[in-house]
């Protein structure tokens, strides 16, 4: 076998090993972020799903309760319970939609965001340190990879949701 052919095979094996490593790291990252979110939720007296919906509303809101349910992949009745807890906790408010007075939107209240940011400060500082080790070009590649991975995850979720 020629050196070029074996080099190609070696490169393919290395690619497969690295791909497995990336997938394994993403699975472990998912676990670690879930544990972090669970710990943060416990400190704030929020369920994991409450914290997830709060993040969704704070980033993408104001949203209708239906949009929250759809984006979170939750049953509308479950979403109602989540929104009730978030409203009681002073995290969100339900308001009339300014564009359609018959509709309701859920808006994030920033009053308690300081609590959340304090709990996330350690992770945010760690992420800043990690990103500081990469060039702008490398960060562009990482950002592209993460965006494409997020999209793949959304499609996989949609496929499972639609298929059920």
């Amino acid at each position: 076998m020629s050196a070029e052919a074996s080099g190609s095979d070696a490169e393919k094996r290395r690619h497969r090993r690295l791909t497995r490593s990336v997938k394994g790291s993403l699975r472990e990252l998912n676990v670690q972020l879930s544990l972090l979110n669970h710990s943060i939720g416990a400190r704030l007296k929020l369920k994991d799903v409450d914290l997830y919906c709060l993040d969704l509303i704070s980033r993408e809101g104001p949203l209708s309760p239906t949009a929250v349910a759809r984006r979170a992949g939750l049953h509308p009745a479950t979403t109602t319970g989540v929104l009730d807890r978030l409203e009681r906790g002073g995290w969100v408010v339900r308001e009339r939609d300014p564009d359609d007075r018959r509709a309701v939107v859920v808006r994030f209240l920033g009053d308690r965001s300081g609590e959340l940011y304090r709990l996330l400060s350690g992770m945010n500082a760690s992420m800043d340190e990690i990103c500081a080790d990469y060039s702008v070009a490398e960060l562009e590649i990482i950002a592209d990879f993460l965006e494409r991975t997020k999209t793949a995850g959304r499609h996989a979720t949609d496929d499972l949701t639609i298929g059920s």
Side-chain angles (χ1 to χ4, degrees), residues 1-13:
M1 182 177 278
S2 71
E4 184 178 315
S6 64
S8 177
D9 289 343
E11 190 67 23
K12 287 177 186 176
R13 283 192 302 276

Side-chain angles (χ1 to χ4, degrees), residues 37-97:
N37 285 337
H38 184 75
S39 295
I40 289 170
R43 295 264 182 111
L44 298 173
K45 297 185 178 23
L46 294 174
K47 296 181 179 188
D48 293 358
V49 69
D50 299 349
L51 190 59
Y52 174 70
C53 288
L54 179 63
D55 181 55
L56 183 67
I57 295 164
S58 72
R59 284 184 297 111
E60 299 183 22
L63 296 170
S64 71
T66 302
V68 173
R70 193 174 315 119
R71 285 187 171 100
L74 299 173
H75 188 277
T78 302
T79 304
T80 298
V82 168
L83 296 178
D84 287 346
R85 287 189 298 273
L86 290 174
E87 195 167 34
R88 275 194 308 272
W91 293 102
V92 301
V93 64
R94 291 177 177 116
E95 303 173 324
R96 291 282 168 214
D97 185 335

